Amino acid sequence: MKFISWNVNGLRACMGKGFLNTFADLDADFFCLQETKLQEGQISLELPGYHQFWNYAEKKGYSGTAIFAREAPLSVSLGLGVPELDTEGRLITLEYPDFFLVTCYTPNAQRELARIDHRLAWDAAFREYLCKLDACKPVVVSGDMNVAASEIDLKNPSANRGNAGFSDQERESFARLLSAGFTDTFRYLYPDATGAYSWWSYMYNARKNNAGWRIDYFLVSNRLSGYIQEAAIHADILGSDHCPVALELKR
């Protein structure tokens, strides 16, 4: 099974930068999107052979997630079930006979950690939610989690220590999620890989210089770790300030 996850930073804009060609070329069984920045009816997307699932933010032009799946799920749920955290279209869960697939767009803590309390409340609820799913059947989790887990996951850790995405609070929270029973699939296969980033600022020629961050992930329940065949970062694919990340699992 092949999974793709991509923060497209506005799907309508990404459509003008080759999204459909990328979608076809990657040929995934499941294609997860974050930051679609859409409301219902704002795009007509023809994807023959795929079922489409969308979660929209109440605020126009903001956040939002989607999953395109070849196989119809047993059930679909949107959000965490926490009203104050579910207004921004940040989570979709598809249930299949042998696993759950979750895509999420984790809130950004913002400059000077202005939104850190909201971010940590999300993290706590998200961790609890995933653990409840995991108690039923294994989970595959995709998305922009807005945190670089360790110094190896960004180009300039010293300069960014304490900033959004690399604060002690966010890194400790992400570590608690992994400790709750989940595996970072890329680091499982490539524990020492450097220069492997999935997001680059539009400023200072960051992408050209590969001055990036790895903040887009596939996590799996620990008991799925033996099924991981590949975990890739497609840094050569343009169209967004993020690039797609991939996971391949044995059936």
Side-chain angles (χ1 to χ4, degrees):
M1 288 185 293
K2 183 176 182 181
F3 304 79
I4 294 291
S5 180
W6 193 8
N7 179 321
V8 292
N9 192 15
L11 182 56
R12 286 171 293 177
C14 195
M15 287 285 288
K17 301 174 184 177
F19 173 81
L20 289 177
N21 289 334
T22 296
F23 181 86
D25 290 345
L26 290 174
D27 191 28
D29 298 297
F30 303 93
F31 207 110
C32 305
L33 303 184
Q34 303 86 45
E35 207 171 359
T36 55
K37 296 183 177 179
L38 287 170
Q39 305 302 121
E40 187 171 6
Q42 286 190 309
I43 195 170
S44 178
L45 197 58
E46 297 294 331
L47 301 173
Y50 286 85
H51 304 271
Q52 300 186 25
F53 307 96
W54 301 83
N55 194 3
Y56 307 103
E58 292 179 3
K59 180 180 177 181
K60 292 183 178 180
Y62 182 72
S63 189
T65 48
I67 302 179
F68 311 135
R70 282 189 167 128
E71 182 180 344
L74 299 176
S75 67
V76 182
S77 60
L78 305 181
L80 292 167
V82 181
E84 61 269 26
L85 298 175
D86 285 339
T87 64
E88 296 177 347
R90 293 186 177 273
L91 194 83
I92 302 173
T93 303
L94 305 186
E95 180 185 5
Y96 289 93
D98 299 321
F99 67 98
F100 291 101
L101 173 61
V102 177
T103 199
C104 83
Y105 177 34
T106 301
N108 191 306
Q110 298 185 351
R111 188 180 299 274
E112 297 183 356
L113 304 184
R115 213 183 186 201
I116 189 67
D117 290 343
H118 178 81
R119 163 60 185 267
L120 295 177
W122 167 276
D123 282 358
F126 184 52
R127 184 171 62 251
E128 181 180 356
Y129 178 78
L130 293 183
C131 286
K132 287 180 179 178
L133 295 181
D134 187 50
C136 297
K137 62 182 78 174
V139 187
V140 177
V141 188
S142 68
D144 174 1
M145 299 188 186
N146 262 317
V147 62
S150 61
E151 292 189 354
I152 200 174
D153 292 312
L154 71 166
K155 178 70 171 180
N156 297 305
S158 297
N160 284 289
R161 191 170 305 281
N163 290 343
F166 201 59
S167 67
D168 290 345
Q169 302 98 305
E170 291 164 294
R171 292 171 64 199
E172 289 167 2
S173 183
F174 188 71
R176 284 197 294 273
L177 174 58
L178 297 180
S179 295
F182 297 93
T183 297
D184 175 350
T185 60
F186 183 80
R187 284 292 170 224
Y188 180 82
L189 293 183
Y190 307 108
D192 302 314
T194 58
Y197 308 129
S198 64
W199 173 79
W200 303 262
S201 170
Y202 282 130
M203 301 172 66
Y204 311 119
N205 292 312
R207 192 154 190 174
K208 180 180 178 180
N209 297 322
N210 199 30
W213 299 49
R214 189 176 74 94
I215 59 176
D216 300 271
Y217 294 84
F218 272 102
L219 311 180
V220 297
S221 296
N222 286 344
R223 60 193 182 280
L224 290 181
S225 61
Y227 293 86
I228 300 169
Q229 289 184 299
E230 180 58 286
I233 300 175
H234 292 286
D236 58 318
I237 294 178
L238 305 178
S240 169
D241 52 349
H242 295 249
C243 73
V245 296
L247 171 66
E248 294 184 32
L249 293 178
K250 301 173 190 174
R251 288 191 177 271

